[in-house]
């Protein structure tokens, strides 16, 4: 069982929602936190609420200069948890170019930019812990998920590749795939969200996964079976159940 006491963890996307809740849990378990997001004001509010002092490092994961500055400020860390995300519900019939690009830039390319600076340092020390946040929406294409679903599918593939490449090192890679979490982002959804979780409940699932040795956890468990099971469906059956019914 992994201990966080005295370990330095960098949480990217920690100003609200799941990131802020996970910061509370890790801090309560003795982790030394560096918390990052775009909004310094929100980060300061989170930092003031934590059980232990944390370092606030603003970051824009779409900007290389901002990432370089944040990496320098964070220093050598024992672990990185990438939770930064952008989301708008979007159908291919109502395509918004810039929003789609922004989702991919933050959710996937932003993660690549950060890891490109952090992973080589972990490899040189032969030590590190990387946690990436995919989504149940990344297992197969879903209606109304242009940009978001693709970005999370790419991130999940990235985590699998890194896990395979680093299997014989002491750099541990883990992946979490949450369902709906009650946040500012999911408030944009006009549809019913089954099994929606509070940020605190989702953070507990992430923390439990981080303490163990397995690669991947999808949650909530029962809801995740629908998405994992959909990978076994033939295309004709999958699209019969999951295609948009608007047209």
């Amino acid at each position: 069982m992994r201990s966080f006491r005295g370990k330095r963890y960098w949480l990217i996307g920690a100003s609200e929602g799941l990131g802020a809740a996970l910061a509370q849990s890790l801090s309560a378990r003795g982790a030394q936190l560096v918390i990052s997001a775009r909004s310094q004001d929100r980060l300061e509010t989170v930092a003031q609420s934590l059980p232990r002092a944390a370092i606030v490092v603003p970051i824009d994961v779409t900007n290389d200069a901002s990432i370089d500055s944040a990496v320098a400020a964070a220093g050598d860390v024992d672990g990185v948890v990438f939770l930064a995300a952008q989301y708008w519900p979007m159908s291919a019939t109502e395509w918004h170019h810039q929003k789609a690009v922004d989702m991919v830039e933050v959710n996937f390319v932003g993660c690549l930019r950060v890891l490109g600076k952090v992973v080589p340092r972990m490899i040189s020390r032969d030590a590190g812990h990387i946690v990436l946040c995919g989504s149940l929406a990344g297992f197969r294409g879903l209606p109304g998920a242009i940009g978001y679903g693709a970005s999370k599918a790419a991130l999940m593939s990235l985590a699998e590749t890194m896990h395979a490449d680093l299997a014989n090192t002491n750099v541990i890679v883990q992946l979490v795939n949450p369902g709906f979490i009650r946040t500012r982002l999911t408030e944009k959804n006009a549809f019913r969200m089954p099994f929606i979780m509070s940020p605190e409940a989702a953070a507990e699932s992430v923390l439990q996964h981080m303490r163990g040795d397995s690669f991947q956890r999808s949650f909530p468990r029962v809801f995740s079976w629908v998405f994992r099971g959909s990978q076994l469906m033939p295309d004709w059956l999958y699209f019969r159940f999951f295609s948009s019914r608007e047209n």
Side-chain angles (χ1 to χ4, degrees):
M1 192 71 71
R2 182 173 291 108
S3 172
F4 303 107
R5 186 164 299 280
K7 300 294 185 180
R8 187 178 179 92
Y9 271 77
W10 186 13
L11 272 59
I12 301 172
S15 62
E16 58 185 315
L18 173 58
L22 184 59
Q24 291 286 345
S25 296
L26 286 171
S27 181
R29 286 160 179 80
Q32 300 172 353
L33 297 184
V34 180
I35 57 173
S36 291
R38 283 181 296 183
S39 172
Q40 180 157 353
D41 289 344
R42 287 178 180 169
L43 288 171
E44 295 287 358
T45 299
V46 172
Q48 291 170 12
S49 71
L50 296 177
R52 296 168 60 91
I55 299 172
V56 170
V57 178
I59 190 173
D60 179 352
V61 299
T62 68
N63 182 283
D64 287 328
S66 176
I67 291 170
D68 287 341
S69 177
V71 168
D76 286 333
V77 294
D78 297 294
V80 174
V81 185
F82 191 90
L83 299 165
Q86 186 58 275
Y87 169 72
W88 289 277
M90 186 187 306
S91 168
T93 61
E94 297 180 349
W95 199 298
H96 190 291
H97 170 76
Q98 193 56 54
K99 288 180 178 178
V101 170
D102 286 348
M103 282 187 273
V104 175
E105 278 287 325
V106 172
N107 302 355
F108 177 60
V109 179
C111 184
L112 279 180
R113 288 190 173 105
V114 171
L115 293 179
K117 303 293 183 178
V118 172
V119 173
R121 297 169 70 160
M122 289 184 171
I123 292 173
S124 68
R125 302 195 316 267
D126 193 29
H129 185 195
I130 299 163
V131 182
L132 303 185
C133 186
S135 171
L136 296 186
F139 282 110
R140 290 199 70 167
L142 292 171
I146 289 293
Y148 185 79
S151 69
K152 289 299 186 178
L155 194 69
M156 291 158 70
S157 176
L158 172 65
E160 290 177 344
T161 298
M162 292 175 61
H163 182 69
D165 285 344
L166 299 173
N168 295 320
T169 74
N170 288 312
V171 179
I172 307 303
V173 180
Q174 292 185 303
L175 172 66
V176 292
N177 303 313
F180 296 114
I181 303 173
R182 192 173 291 107
T183 67
R184 178 174 53 88
L185 296 182
T186 54
E187 287 177 357
K188 300 176 182 180
N189 290 334
F191 53 84
R192 188 175 72 88
M193 293 176 279
F195 297 93
I196 190 166
M197 305 176 74
S198 69
E200 293 74 21
E204 182 60 28
S205 290
V206 173
L207 186 71
Q208 288 178 8
H209 184 55
M210 290 174 64
R211 295 179 68 184
D213 297 322
S214 62
F215 165 63
Q216 181 173 197
R217 172 177 287 198
S218 300
F219 60 90
R221 179 178 297 179
V222 174
F223 194 38
S224 74
W225 292 344
V226 175
F227 296 87
R228 297 300 299 270
S230 73
Q231 294 182 303
L232 303 177
M233 290 182 180
D235 290 344
W236 68 267
L237 182 60
Y238 175 77
F239 289 114
R240 178 178 178 180
F241 282 99
F242 285 90
S243 292
S244 173
R245 297 291 186 265
E246 294 178 0
N247 297 324

